[in-house]
Amino acid sequence: MGCRVFKNNACKITYAYKGASHKGIDMVGPGSTFDYIVAHSAGTVVGVEANCNRNTSKTGEKIYGNYVKIKHDNGMYTLYAHMKYGTVEVKVGDRVEKGQTLGYMGNTGYSFGAHVHFEVRNENDKYIDPTPYIDADLPVKEEPKPIVLTHKVGETVKINGVYASSTS
């Protein structure tokens, strides 16, 4: 399966999106291999943790460990979690391009083995299923279409069954 989240462009999903109980998908490289994590799409880094050097699965503390969160040009967000300690290559405010290396797969935070936890969020920062975007563009933000008036001032028009006209 093609995968825009890994440098080698291939992945295997090890844990699916489950809505409220699992807000992203967990992935490894084909054959359960490790890989560099890359930016899905161009955007600006809005969140980073780079200094987590522990795995918290034994304590149950549910944290991302080392992660990068990007706000994309269409207003959506992606998040890449559980990166290996010492490998995060970006900081908040950095502009990243599609395919730029962010870090390396790891086992930090609430994790049960090295992988990446990948999330996609909408413009309101609400979780959505990231599965359709593993190897596809995020939706393009549609600009509102201008209203084009086809009638002139003073003409009578029918709107919802009622005739109306204007003088200005």
Side-chain angles (χ1 to χ4, degrees), residues 121-142:
R121 301 180 189 185
N122 68 16
E123 301 87 356
N124 299 316
D125 209 17
K126 302 291 184 204
Y127 302 96
I128 62 173
D129 185 356
T131 310
Y133 305 109
I134 293 171
D135 197 33
D137 288 338
L138 297 172
V140 175
K141 186 174 185 177
E142 290 188 29

Side-chain angles (χ1 to χ4, degrees), residues 62-67 79 81-83 108-109 117 119 121 127:
K62 295 186 178 182
I63 61 172
Y64 288 127
N66 297 309
Y67 73 89
L79 185 136
H82 307 309
M83 291 182 183
T108 59
H117 172 85
E119 293 178 359
R121 301 180 189 185
Y127 302 96

Side-chain angles (χ1 to χ4, degrees), residues 66-115:
N66 297 309
Y67 73 89
V68 173
K69 183 178 180 182
I70 300 170
K71 183 173 186 176
H72 299 283
D73 299 337
N74 67 351
M76 295 180 74
Y77 299 85
T78 54
L79 185 136
Y80 316 78
H82 307 309
M83 291 182 183
K84 184 176 180 180
Y85 175 74
T87 68
V88 176
E89 297 186 13
V90 295
K91 62 187 181 314
V92 171
D94 284 353
R95 174 79 184 167
V96 295
E97 297 305 319
K98 175 183 171 184
Q100 181 177 334
T101 301
L102 304 174
Y104 197 76
M105 288 173 56
N107 188 28
T108 59
Y110 189 63
S111 174
F112 297 90
H115 69 284

